[in-house]
Amino acid sequence: MNLFRLAGDMTHLLSIVLLLLKINGTKSCRGISLRTQELYGLVFLMRYLDIFTNFISLYNTCMKLVFLLTSGTIIYLMRYHKVIRSTYDKEQDTFKYQFLVIPCIVLALFINNERTVLEVLWTFSIYLEAVAILPQLVLLQRTQNIDNLTGNYVFMLGTYRGLYILNWVYRYWTEPGYRQWLVWLSGIVQTIVYCDFFYYYLRSWKDNKKLELPA
């Protein structure tokens, strides 16, 4: 494992910690898209189906369990916690995620590295992760309810993907034969999705103003 991969993993983990701090600390999930969280839950579930059959390392297994458990916890709090669920922006969080899930399923069925069930589901998770943040970005754009923790959470998610791109570049130059075209293309798409948010986030930080996204 190289430094870029480790930094990416830790940044991803930090983004989830920030989200849990916001939800549990303030007893509010206002400004957080349940649809995005459920999409991420689906991503982790499909990607880590091999957790008990394909051991890579203790670190790898622990990270898989952490992402599965934290994702499930966030969804549970937003759906069933009697206080937190009352703060959910249900009327605004209406992005039709079928428009994301169905194309990703079709792509995974036809464009994959190996026609096995686990490989197709893994590929589906790669495609879906690239666009899973869209309901969250749309919700923030609609409500303009962007507190510091929410803004930092989304920024950390985007930063994690940027660090993974550096990891792929590093591995390309240091590992002969390393090629992951589907992962690379999906990662680039995911980074592009974040570009607009990054611009307004960094501008608000530079100007010391509240983060606002264009409607």
Side-chain angles (χ1 to χ4, degrees):
M1 181 188 298
N2 61 70
L3 184 61
F4 298 118
R5 164 73 185 275
L6 180 61
D9 285 346
M10 293 303 103
T11 303
H12 193 183
L13 189 58
L14 179 59
S15 72
I16 295 173
V17 170
L18 285 173
L19 183 55
L20 281 170
L21 283 174
K22 169 193 165 59
I23 293 174
N24 196 51
T26 65
K27 293 295 184 289
S28 171
C29 62
R30 197 171 304 281
I32 301 300
S33 169
L34 177 59
R35 297 190 173 221
T36 279
Q37 297 309 314
E38 289 176 337
L39 288 175
Y40 277 129
L42 184 58
V43 166
F44 296 139
L45 188 61
M46 296 297 100
R47 186 172 301 173
Y48 301 147
L49 286 171
D50 66 345
I51 190 169
F52 299 114
T53 61
N54 185 24
F55 181 79
I56 298 174
S57 67
L58 181 60
Y59 171 84
N60 183 271
T61 299
C62 287
M63 291 300 285
K64 287 178 179 180
L65 287 172
V66 167
F67 288 130
L68 285 168
L69 290 173
T70 53
S71 181
T73 300
I74 291 167
I75 293 169
Y76 173 81
L77 290 173
M78 292 184 70
R79 275 199 172 275
Y80 302 110
H81 191 284
K82 61 181 180 180
V83 176
I84 294 171
R85 70 180 183 182
S86 67
T87 65
Y88 170 48
D89 297 310
K90 185 177 181 179
E91 292 74 19
Q92 299 293 334
D93 191 23
T94 57
F95 191 102
K96 295 187 182 302
Y97 49 68
Q98 301 93 318
F99 293 143
L100 302 179
V101 173
I102 293 173
C104 289
I105 291 173
V106 174
L107 275 175
L109 286 171
F110 290 98
I111 306 176
N112 54 66
N113 293 322
E114 185 181 342
R115 287 190 178 278
T116 64
V117 173
L118 283 180
E119 183 66 23
V120 169
L121 292 176
W122 180 85
T123 304
F124 164 68
S125 78
I126 295 297
Y127 293 149
L128 186 59
E129 186 183 11
V131 294
I133 196 65
L134 282 173
Q136 178 65 66
L137 295 177
V138 170
L139 177 62
L140 294 180
Q141 199 170 39
R142 286 175 177 173
T143 64
Q144 294 298 323
N145 184 25
I146 314 174
D147 57 52
N148 287 335
L149 285 176
T150 304
N152 291 338
Y153 159 68
V154 177
F155 181 77
M156 288 293 178
L157 273 181
T159 302
Y160 133 73
R161 180 48 66 196
L163 287 167
Y164 254 63
I165 289 178
L166 294 177
N167 160 61
W168 298 331
V169 172
Y170 176 84
R171 292 184 64 185
Y172 176 81
W173 290 109
T174 59
E175 297 181 22
Y178 173 69
R179 301 289 187 277
Q180 284 192 312
W181 298 109
L182 295 181
V183 175
W184 294 349
L185 290 172
S186 297
I188 291 170
V189 169
Q190 186 175 357
T191 303
I192 291 171
V193 168
Y194 280 95
C195 282
D196 190 58
F197 176 86
F198 268 39
Y199 170 76
Y200 288 102
Y201 179 93
L202 293 172
R203 195 175 75 172
S204 70
W205 176 78
K206 177 178 177 292
D207 297 338
N208 196 27
K209 294 180 178 179
K210 184 179 183 294
L211 175 59
E212 293 182 354
L213 301 179

